[in-house]
Amino acid sequence: MPETSAPPEPILKKDMGRALISAERIAKRVEDMGREISEVYADIDTPLVLVVILKGATVFAADLLRSLSIPAELEFVSAASYGSGISPGKLRLAHMVEGPLVGRHVLLIEDIIDSGRTVSAIEKRLRKLKPASLRLAALLDRPARREVETRIDFTGFVIPDRFVIGYGLDYAGLYRELPGIYTLT
Ligand code: IMP
Ligand code: MG
C-alpha cells in the first residue's frame, strides 16, 4: 500500500455507511469474551492484570474490563507499528507497565492482530518480567497479512483483508470515537 503523509479528509459520521461490525454486535461479543475470560481465570488467587496496548485497544479494554466478573488491574504499554498512515512503520515501545508482573497472571489486550509484530515484540518484553501466565485477547484478527506466528487466546472477530477504523481503531489518529467498526479501503 502507498505511504500516505497528507492527513486524511475527515469523514463525517453521517457519511460512514454500513458498519462492518455494528456497535450492537461488538457489545454482545465483548460480553461473551468477558464471561469466557472470567471462567478461564476463575481460580487464580491474585487479580488478573490487563495489559492494554495503547492507544487503539483502550476502547475495547474499557468494555472488556466491565464485562469481567473477576478482579482485574489495568496496566498500559505503548507501541506503534504504524506511522501516521496505513503503511507499517518501525515498532517503538514508548511506555512499559508500571507495576511488577512477577508471578502475576497477565492478559495482553490488543485491538487488532495484523502482521503479529506488535504483540510478538511486547510479549517478548513482558515474558522477561516473569508473569505466572501470559495470554492474548484481541478484538480483531486479520490473518491475511500475518508475518509472525501469533497465538490469540481470546478473539473477538476474524476480519477480511481490509483496513478498519472505529471502536478505538484509528486512521492517522482519527475515527476512534465511532461506535462500530468500518472499512476504510
Ligand atoms: P501488527 O503489529 O502488524 O500486528 O499491527 C497491529 C497494530 O497495527 C495494531 O495495534 C493497530 O494499531 C495497527 N493496525 C493494524 N491494522 C489496523 C487497521 O486496520 N486499522 C487501524 N489500525 C491498525
Ligand atoms: Mg495499536
Side-chain angles (χ1 to χ4, degrees), residues 53-54 56 110-111:
I53 303 180
L54 294 170
E110 178 59 309
D111 50 3

Side-chain angles (χ1 to χ4, degrees), residues 3 53 67-68 70 77 87 117:
E3 179 78 42
I53 303 180
S67 72
L68 295 177
I70 54 167
V77 290
S87 300
R117 292 193 181 282

Side-chain angles (χ1 to χ4, degrees), residues 53-57 79-82 85-86 88 91 110-120 140 142 145-147 150 159 162-166 168-171 176 182:
I53 303 180
L54 294 170
K55 299 172 183 171
S81 70
Y82 282 68
I86 284 176
L91 184 86
E110 178 59 309
D111 50 3
I112 181 168
I113 309 300
D114 186 29
S115 71
R117 292 193 181 282
T118 303
V119 286
S120 147
L140 304 176
R142 185 168 54 214
R145 285 194 274 169
R146 193 77 85 251
E147 294 168 26
T150 307
I159 63 162
R162 308 278 297 275
F163 193 86
V164 288
I165 52 172
L169 291 122
D170 74 303
Y171 172 64
R176 298 190 197 274
Y182 295 82

Side-chain angles (χ1 to χ4, degrees), residues 15-31:
D15 297 330
M16 286 304 299
R18 199 164 164 267
L20 178 69
I21 309 170
S22 69
E24 292 73 22
R25 278 182 70 203
I26 296 171
K28 277 206 191 87
R29 185 71 192 115
V30 173
E31 274 297 318

Side-chain angles (χ1 to χ4, degrees), residues 166-182:
Y167 196 69
L169 291 122
D170 74 303
Y171 172 64
L174 295 174
Y175 312 120
R176 298 190 197 274
E177 75 281 8
L178 298 174
I181 288 169
Y182 295 82

